Amino acid sequence: MMSKLQELIDTLCPDGVEYKRLGEFATVIRGSGLQKNDFTENGVGCIHYGQIYTYYGAFTYETKSFVSPALAEKLKKVSKGDLVVAVTSENVEDVCKCVAWLGDDEIVTGGHSAIIKHNQNPKYLSYYFQSEMFFKQKRKVAKGTKVIEVAPKKLEEITIPVPPLEVQSEIVRILDNFTELTAELTAELTAELTARKKQYEYYRDELLKPKNNIPMVTLKEIATDIYRGSGIKRDEVTEEGIPCVRYGEIYTTYNTWFDKCVSHTQLDYVSNPKCFENGDILFAITGESVEDIAKSVAYVGHEKCLAGGDIVVLKHNQNPRYLAHVLATQSAREQKSKGKVKSKVVHSNVPSIEQITIPLPSFEIQERYAEVLDNFEQLCNDLNTGLPAEIEARQKQYEYYRDKLLTFKEI
């Protein structure tokens, strides 16, 4: 794979490659106009700068969005081979992400974008814009704190190695293959992770589904106490102090059960502190999804902790890990979301939670179910940790070879 490239380099540029300012072989044009509410179902293809961060890779043959022909007349034009660069971002790592337009039709772009018109291989330039070498240069010309911007004229000052077009094409061929293989591996690993999660959820739901010889009870029947927590604002979270849980963390941080809080606060901040302790079940009663509302988690640690607002604490005399697993089943989730209406914010309450019905076997069987499901879940969690690490390793490998391919001896 690399021998052909080396042959081309040895033949066409044996003494090195000339590094040129972008402005020497390209023209950078600033876009203007184009808001998201300008999009239409069809018309002239367009690339909005925000989509470069969220939707496009290094190149594209099709646009995600369109605008009316009348508006397109007023916007800057992008021809086949041009690069569209997002010159505004919230962080310096992402600013100047670009996409090469390879479609046959002329499209348009708007503000916070720049168009690079050039006479080089567009994919070669786009790959170079991803490299560590380019990153180091753009940091020097990027301005701003909350909003990072690179002026189009400053882009023209960035130097880029410009090997012969035949060399550029071979580098592009190699990187296209690397990119495709990396994407395929990521898709396979992601599918494997999804399959294992579904397998666990199926097994859990089968194991914990109602059975004739196991009584069904409501949470109200097994609760020794049930109450709401007391508000802890985001700016009241501290590095040290009393361990606490805010409701959003139940969705984003904790899984089935946990033994240590990731957050702390000061007792002085909470006017009416509500505590939870070992064995208690916490429900998040505010959320953004009907399907996930009232997600619950068991606390199996030994410190006394504070429950934030929009959390319901359930005290009981059952096995907390069993309750955590059974309250995560599809049956329990359907009960949690029953009667809830989809909107920007979804709420639950103590009366709704009290009416959730679950199978309640003997304490010994609860313990056995909890052990089996804990082990199964741990296997899934190990996979959940290992697969993203593998994906990240492959991505770093790709980035290493990409930067190697794009580094030349300078004339």
Side-chain angles (χ1 to χ4, degrees):
M1 178 176 66
M2 300 294 291
S3 59
K4 182 180 178 182
L5 176 61
Q6 192 58 53
E7 287 175 9
L8 286 170
I9 291 174
D10 291 343
T11 303
L12 300 173
C13 45
D15 299 325
V17 168
E18 186 176 2
Y19 279 62
K20 296 182 179 180
R21 289 175 49 257
L22 184 63
E24 292 182 60
F25 62 85
T27 302
V28 184
I29 303 168
R30 179 186 283 277
S32 62
L34 183 59
Q35 306 296 321
K36 288 183 180 179
N37 56 15
D38 292 327
F39 295 162
T40 56
E41 291 190 7
N42 48 56
V44 178
C46 69
I47 293 179
H48 184 268
Y49 88 99
Q51 295 170 339
I52 298 175
Y53 295 118
T54 59
Y55 183 78
Y56 295 108
F59 55 88
T60 185
Y61 293 85
E62 298 178 345
T63 63
K64 175 180 173 64
S65 304
F66 302 88
V67 294
S68 68
L71 177 59
E73 283 295 320
K74 304 174 184 178
L75 298 173
K76 294 295 190 295
K77 308 300 186 292
V78 181
S79 302
K80 184 175 183 178
D82 291 350
L83 269 59
V84 185
V85 186
V87 293
T88 299
S89 176
E90 294 179 355
N91 61 74
V92 72
E93 288 78 13
D94 291 336
V95 73
C96 289
K97 185 177 184 297
C98 77
V99 54
W101 170 243
L102 303 180
D104 292 326
D105 296 331
E106 189 175 67
I107 62 169
V108 295
T109 191
H112 303 298
S113 296
I115 304 166
I116 299 178
K117 295 183 177 293
H118 57 89
N119 56 7
Q120 304 300 313
N121 186 304
K123 292 170 78 172
Y124 170 81
L125 292 181
S126 188
Y127 279 129
Y128 193 84
F129 268 57
Q130 296 177 349
S131 70
E132 179 66 19
M133 296 78 74
F134 176 77
F135 176 77
K136 289 178 179 177
Q137 293 190 72
K138 76 177 180 182
R139 286 193 70 131
K140 296 177 181 179
V141 297
K143 303 295 181 183
T145 51
K146 290 185 178 180
V147 177
I148 309 298
E149 184 173 6
V150 174
K153 284 296 179 185
K154 290 293 183 181
L155 268 180
E156 294 181 349
E157 298 175 8
I158 287 175
T159 58
I160 295 175
V162 186
L165 289 174
E166 294 92 334
V167 174
Q168 292 184 30
S169 296
E170 180 61 13
I171 290 173
V172 164
R173 186 189 69 80
I174 295 170
L175 288 177
D176 280 353
N177 287 336
F178 264 124
T179 302
E180 185 177 351
L181 290 171
T182 302
E184 287 176 358
L185 180 64
T186 299
E188 289 171 6
L189 293 175
T190 302
E192 177 73 9
L193 183 61
T194 301
R196 289 290 178 265
K197 184 179 178 184
K198 286 184 177 180
Q199 184 183 39
Y200 160 70
E201 291 174 349
Y202 173 81
Y203 182 73
R204 178 198 62 204
D205 288 4
E206 280 294 306
L207 188 65
L208 300 179
K209 70 181 181 181
K211 300 176 179 65
N212 291 334
N213 61 337
I214 295 179
M216 298 293 292
V217 299
T218 64
L219 294 187
K220 185 175 183 178
E221 292 177 276
I222 65 170
T224 59
D225 199 2
I226 185 168
Y227 53 86
R228 286 189 59 162
S230 183
I232 300 171
K233 297 176 183 178
R234 184 176 299 175
D235 59 6
E236 292 174 344
V237 173
T238 56
E239 290 288 332
E240 298 178 347
I242 299 176
C244 68
V245 171
R246 301 178 68 246
Y247 83 92
E249 295 168 346
I250 296 177
Y251 293 113
T252 61
T253 304
Y254 302 115
N255 197 7
T256 306
W257 51 264
F258 70 105
D259 57 6
K260 288 188 180 298
C261 297
V262 299
S263 297
H264 298 79
T265 190
Q266 301 298 319
L267 192 59
D268 295 344
Y269 293 158
V270 187
S271 58
N272 184 26
K274 298 290 185 178
C275 296
F276 65 90
E277 51 197 345
N278 179 269
D280 292 348
I281 308 293
L282 310 182
F283 296 82
I285 59 170
T286 294
E288 299 177 353
S289 165
V290 170
E291 293 76 20
D292 293 332
I293 189 64
K295 181 179 182 295
S296 49
V297 60
Y299 175 63
V300 296
H302 299 286
E303 295 182 276
K304 202 167 188 178
C305 312
L306 293 181
D310 293 321
I311 289 177
V312 163
V313 179
L314 171 72
K315 290 184 173 294
H316 58 90
N317 292 317
Q318 309 302 317
N319 183 297
R321 292 180 296 119
Y322 170 78
L323 291 185
H325 284 296
V326 79
L327 287 168
T329 62
Q330 183 64 26
S331 172
R333 291 176 65 183
E334 288 174 355
Q335 293 180 72
K336 292 175 181 179
S337 61
K338 185 178 180 180
K340 304 297 185 291
V341 178
K342 186 175 182 179
S343 62
K344 289 185 177 180
V345 180
V346 183
H347 296 287
S348 187
N349 51 46
V350 169
S352 295
I353 290 171
E354 286 180 327
Q355 296 309 308
I356 295 172
T357 302
I358 60 169
L360 192 73
S362 67
F363 201 87
E364 291 75 17
I365 294 177
Q366 289 183 37
E367 179 71 23
R368 193 191 323 158
Y369 282 172
E371 289 293 333
V372 169
L373 289 171
D374 280 353
N375 289 334
F376 203 153
E377 187 177 43
Q378 185 59 48
L379 289 173
C380 290
N381 288 341
D382 290 345
L383 196 64
N384 194 32
T385 301
L387 289 184
E390 180 70 13
I391 291 171
E392 183 180 0
R394 292 289 178 252
Q395 180 64 25
K396 287 185 180 297
Q397 183 183 48
Y398 159 73
E399 291 171 358
Y400 172 81
Y401 282 113
R402 178 198 63 208
D403 289 0
K404 280 285 187 183
L405 285 170
L406 295 172
T407 301
F408 301 88
K409 181 174 70 173
E410 186 174 358
I411 294 178

